[in-house]
Amino acid sequence: MSEINLGLGNNDIVTRKEAESDFIAFWEKQAKNLSWFSTWKKPLDWNPPFAKWFVGGTINASYNTLDIHQNKANKPAILWEGENGESKILTYKDMWTQVQKFANVLKSLGVQKGDRITIYLPMIPELPISMLACARIGAIHTVIFSGFSAAAIKDRICDSKSKIVITADGGYRRGNIIKLKEVIDEATKDFDFVQNVIVIERTKNKIILSSKDMLWNELMNDISDTCIAEKLDSTHPLYILYTSGTTGKPKGVLHGTGGYLTHLYSTFKWAFDIKDSDIFFCTADIGWVTGHSYMVYGPLLHGATEVMYEGAPDFPDASRMWEIIQKYKVTIFYTTPTALRMFMKFGDELPNSFDLSTLRLLGSVGEPINPEVWKWYFKIIGKEKCPIIDTWWQTETGGMMISALPGLETIPLKPGSGTRSIPGLDISVVDEVGNDIPPNTKGYLVIKNPWPGMLLTLWGDDAKYRDVYWSKYKNCYYPGDYALRDIDGYFWLLGRADDVLKVSGHRIGTAELESCIVSHHNVAESAVCGIPDELKGEVIIAFVVLKQNVTKDTLILEKELLIKIRNDIGAIATPKQIYFVAKLPKTRSGKIMRRLLKSIANNETIGDISTLEDGAAVSEIQSVFEELQKSIQKKSD
Ligand code: PRX
């Protein structure tokens, strides 16, 4: 692999050395970059697997992102670009005023510290305003991606018991209006605990208002713009973000305040080498963790100016991102491999016809970036002068864990590698029993020390938290990813080791999807798996066993299942192909052989099955495999 030596920042070896000798003191030093109301008594209370950072300290996320920047009140915080070409600039003063007003609105509706607030909004400024208003008064926000269906939202609202839901009359997506309010009406109709639904009129399409519903503009009209930020404990929960895992229901990842903000302040500075003059553009939706950490909290902690784009990246055509970079003179661009693969498909001419010369740093997140895409990004978008940081992290980690850090040190980059871990972390690649493995060997990624951005727990379920992340290896966090480390100590992320799929960078749990399919009255069993896809990284294939005596046409059934998946989860979970089969390949202990399913879906030969998990008889597997192939054959006949 060729190496590209393009680090930008100062070689700060001291920082890594300090971090290695005493990671707690190191993070303590980083925490001092934030504004605390009172300092902590203890930097870390580690009662595995529960970490409390900066115990006894009091802090406020809204204060640290807004109040402290009022010496440059007229600096733009958000350069907002609507899908239909509108634009808006919100300065740090504007944000501060709006957030205080909305915090007062929430208070006037009886919201108190610790109450949960669900936010289901498109990418409009009211989304970060709502989040920061919650943070200001100590309410816990729980943002739900605006592509999720009513049933998916219902589960999440029921789990968090949100008192207030914030939504919009609609959101623009590829020129269409998504009727968000209707989805919320459906999702909340059975919940008396939802006291009010606050509606932002984004599209002015017709909506029905019930007695619970209140309009954002009316609430904001006549309310004080002063709301003092609450002094909150460092460990006070900032937000819940639901994410898919290996279990049937989405998990509510709970993040705290002081540790999380310390992690974000540090990684945003080290990874993006942020300067006061930068224009930062992250293409993530705030409904996912990247948007929380590197659109809302990270940039605003630094008083940075950022672009926020409302719509689809390819609307009205595939040049939209390049046009935005040119228009706003973006200097730092952070996006996903899926988006890059899509842009790459449209050729070099589109990006080459825009002025991208302001760019100085590029980032990637969410899935492995293949070297070919990395090189295209480097050459065509970065014009061979911008370093690319490939940042590995998760909803649970809160912030980046592995990334090149141009703002901290100069190291050679290798296309496709995330390079090294963030200082102050202890990350390794281990074998099945937890032993470190030699370089260039594939194994499991583990994190051996607690880190400040780590989740506090899963909302309302400490046992599941312990079980999902801390039971595979003793006192080690297990993220569920394969990785290897090369001889230079660089990490190469090799995809998920568990039953989590990554479709267009979005996390989808196989169990969640399977339980949705099985809840169709004609279905007996189902197994889903991911197969590689040039554009989306991975696409979903579903195998379905019907109940006995079901005579319905499979084409009709397929349609019904697709509608069901869209309604129960959302369009992102739609399988590319559904196979109706007589039987699923399972081991004797009942475990579905996903590798076999993948081979079948990929039309591959069965390959070496002697190493298949759980010691199922080879002949048994062979016959199930053949049976499965036959039944698929029948369908295509
Ligand atoms: O499998 C890894 C993959 O995304 C998972 C986390 O997904 P989520 O919680 O949705 O967060 C995505 C945004 C941080 C990881 O377990 N992943 C994330 N970043 C990378 C990655 N895989 C390879 N390279 C990355 N840079």
Side-chain angles (χ1 to χ4, degrees):
M1 188 64 63
S2 60
E3 292 185 356
I4 295 153
N5 197 336
L6 266 176
L8 284 181
N10 316 313
N11 239 324
D12 189 356
I13 324 160
V14 179
T15 313
R16 277 209 186 259
K17 275 207 181 129
E18 270 177 25
E20 274 156 30
S21 70
D22 185 346
F23 78 96
I24 300 175
F26 169 80
W27 284 118
E28 205 173 2
K29 192 170 157 192
Q30 309 314 315
K32 290 182 182 151
N33 288 316
L34 302 173
S35 294
W36 295 80
F37 298 121
S38 58
T39 193
W40 50 91
K41 308 255 174 332
K42 199 174 173 192
L44 173 65
D45 179 1
W46 179 222
N47 178 21
F50 300 96
K52 290 184 180 157
W53 284 89
F54 313 119
V55 183
T58 53
I59 190 164
N60 186 291
S62 166
Y63 184 87
N64 270 275
T65 46
L66 300 174
D67 301 47
I68 63 158
H69 303 310
Q70 294 311 311
N71 56 345
K72 50 179 180 185
N74 292 328
K75 180 175 177 178
I78 295 179
L79 306 169
W80 180 78
E81 170 89 0
E83 190 183 77
N84 51 16
E86 294 163 72
S87 55
K88 241 187 236 178
I89 297 177
L90 285 104
T91 64
Y92 273 90
K93 177 78 193 290
D94 296 332
M95 287 295 290
W96 194 46
T97 308
Q98 295 296 311
V99 165
Q100 292 188 78
K101 287 180 81 166
F102 193 61
N104 281 330
V105 166
L106 291 175
K107 275 184 171 175
S108 74
L109 296 176
V111 175
Q112 291 178 0
K113 190 164 122 184
D115 284 345
R116 276 79 58 208
I117 309 291
T118 289
I119 305 175
Y120 183 65
L121 284 177
M123 288 284 284
I124 53 177
E126 287 83 352
L127 172 49
I129 290 169
S130 302
M131 292 162 76
L132 294 173
C134 290
R136 198 160 188 90
I137 60 172
I140 304 169
H141 59 73
T142 162
V143 179
I144 303 179
F145 172 59
S146 60
F148 276 118
S149 68
I153 298 164
K154 195 171 171 181
D155 281 348
R156 288 157 172 81
I157 294 182
C158 184
D159 190 67
S160 64
K161 297 279 173 311
S162 288
K163 200 176 205 174
I164 304 274
V165 177
I166 303 164
T167 190
D169 56 359
Y172 290 107
R173 194 73 185 172
R174 292 206 168 78
N176 299 317
I177 293 177
I178 315 267
K179 295 182 176 162
L180 303 173
K181 170 69 168 55
E182 277 182 19
V183 178
I184 287 296
D185 287 346
E186 173 63 26
T188 57
K189 67 174 193 272
D190 301 328
F191 297 148
D192 288 340
F193 57 79
V194 175
Q195 288 174 16
N196 294 106
V197 175
I198 301 176
V199 187
I200 294 148
E201 294 164 287
R202 166 67 190 121
T203 59
K204 300 267 191 297
N205 67 317
K206 228 178 152 171
I207 50 168
I208 299 163
L209 292 177
S210 75
S211 57
K212 271 188 183 184
D213 301 335
M214 311 180 101
L215 294 175
W216 172 285
N217 276 346
E218 287 178 6
L219 291 166
M220 291 285 271
N221 233 348
D222 222 4
I223 195 126
S224 156
D225 61 5
T226 305
C227 173
I228 303 294
E230 281 278 327
K231 296 182 172 69
L232 301 167
D233 282 341
S234 172
T235 52
H236 183 75
L238 180 59
Y239 67 81
I240 304 170
L241 186 56
Y242 287 90
T243 187
S244 296
T246 46
T247 49
K249 289 264 173 229
K251 303 170 295 196
V253 169
L254 185 69
H255 280 293
T257 309
Y260 175 76
L261 295 181
T262 301
H263 195 128
L264 291 183
Y265 182 92
S266 310
T267 51
F268 193 77
K269 181 171 72 173
W270 298 332
F272 295 115
D273 185 30
I274 193 76
K275 308 269 190 283
D276 198 42
S277 54
D278 273 318
I279 308 288
F280 178 77
F281 180 21
C282 168
T283 64
D285 192 292
I286 293 177
W288 308 106
V289 76
T290 308
H292 280 60
S293 294
Y294 296 105
M295 277 201 72
V296 180
Y297 293 106
L300 300 183
L301 282 174
H302 282 274
T305 298
E306 65 179 328
V307 175
M308 176 177 182
Y309 171 57
E310 179 187 38
D314 55 351
F315 187 84
D317 62 48
S319 66
R320 190 65 191 264
M321 294 295 107
W322 321 133
E323 192 193 313
I324 291 177
I325 291 174
Q326 175 179 278
K327 174 172 173 185
Y328 293 102
K329 301 186 168 33
V330 170
T331 58
I332 306 172
F333 183 56
Y334 190 36
T335 193
T336 62
T338 288
L340 292 170
R341 285 190 292 264
M342 190 264 290
F343 297 136
M344 203 173 145
K345 199 181 74 180
F346 286 94
D348 304 349
E349 221 171 278
L350 275 185
N352 283 343
S353 60
F354 289 87
D355 179 6
L356 307 180
S357 63
T358 49
L359 288 172
R360 67 171 187 82
L361 186 57
L362 304 173
S364 168
V365 61
E367 23 164 356
I369 177 164
N370 29 329
E372 192 199 346
V373 176
W374 196 104
K375 286 176 190 158
W376 181 83
Y377 197 20
F378 182 71
K379 188 165 170 222
I380 303 300
I381 308 306
K383 313 293 179 206
E384 302 190 359
K385 67 177 176 67
C386 305
I388 296 178
I389 53 166
D390 174 8
T391 63
W392 178 88
W393 56 292
Q394 304 182 300
T395 306
E396 293 86 342
T397 68
M400 296 172 192
M401 302 296 275
I402 294 173
S403 175
L405 302 170
L408 184 70
E409 61 197 0
T410 307
I411 57 163
L413 302 176
K414 299 187 196 184
S417 165
T419 78
R420 302 200 285 168
S421 89
I422 305 296
L425 310 180
D426 187 358
I427 306 188
S428 264
V429 181
V430 300
D431 63 13
E432 196 59 48
V433 290
N435 296 319
D436 281 345
I437 53 175
N440 290 332
T441 318
K442 182 175 172 180
Y444 302 98
L445 198 73
V446 291
I447 304 162
K448 295 183 171 177
N449 278 339
W451 65 99
M454 76 186 252
L455 70 169
L456 299 176
T457 185
L458 292 177
W459 177 252
D461 205 341
D462 287 350
K464 193 165 167 188
Y465 164 66
R466 194 187 288 274
D467 185 49
V468 173
Y469 307 106
W470 301 89
S471 62
K472 188 170 169 75
Y473 300 111
K474 191 168 187 292
N475 289 349
C476 270
Y477 173 87
Y478 171 59
D481 276 47
Y482 284 126
L484 67 75
R485 220 171 168 175
D486 68 17
I487 43 166
D488 298 323
Y490 280 31
F491 290 97
W492 296 77
L493 275 305
L494 303 173
R496 298 290 305 192
D498 57 6
D499 293 335
V500 170
L501 309 175
K502 269 270 160 172
V503 179
S504 300
H506 301 320
R507 220 161 123 168
I508 295 160
T510 45
E512 193 182 347
L513 186 49
E514 283 162 6
S515 77
C516 160
I517 296 174
V518 169
S519 64
H520 184 286
H521 58 281
N522 292 134
V523 175
E525 267 191 307
S526 168
V528 301
C529 66
I531 59 163
D533 181 79
E534 249 182 40
L535 205 61
K536 297 184 169 178
E538 197 169 44
V539 287
I540 304 169
I541 302 292
F543 293 85
V544 174
V545 180
L546 294 175
K547 284 183 181 157
Q548 276 186 344
N549 306 327
V550 174
T551 50
K552 217 186 256 176
D553 190 300
T554 50
L555 278 178
I556 297 176
L557 272 165
E558 187 169 355
K559 246 189 214 151
E560 288 179 7
L561 284 173
L562 291 176
I563 292 171
K564 183 160 182 34
I565 292 164
R566 273 192 205 116
N567 287 343
D568 287 6
I569 305 178
I572 53 166
T574 310
K576 185 177 178 197
Q577 182 81 47
I578 297 180
Y579 292 121
F580 292 94
V581 295
K583 199 171 169 185
L584 292 175
K586 288 188 194 161
T587 59
R588 280 192 195 132
S589 64
K591 199 171 164 198
I592 294 164
M593 296 169 187
R594 288 179 200 280
R595 188 157 79 79
L596 208 62
L597 291 176
K598 276 189 191 179
S599 312
I600 292 164
N602 277 320
N603 225 355
E604 290 167 0
T605 48
I606 189 166
D608 176 19
I609 51 171
S610 57
T611 56
L612 272 176
E613 51 272 280
D614 220 18
V618 174
S619 58
E620 184 189 347
I621 298 167
Q622 192 78 49
S623 69
V624 175
F625 179 78
E626 279 162 14
E627 210 174 303
L628 197 52
Q629 271 194 327
K630 255 189 254 153
S631 61
I632 289 169
Q633 193 63 44
K634 252 191 235 150
K635 186 198 161 229
S636 52
D637 290 347

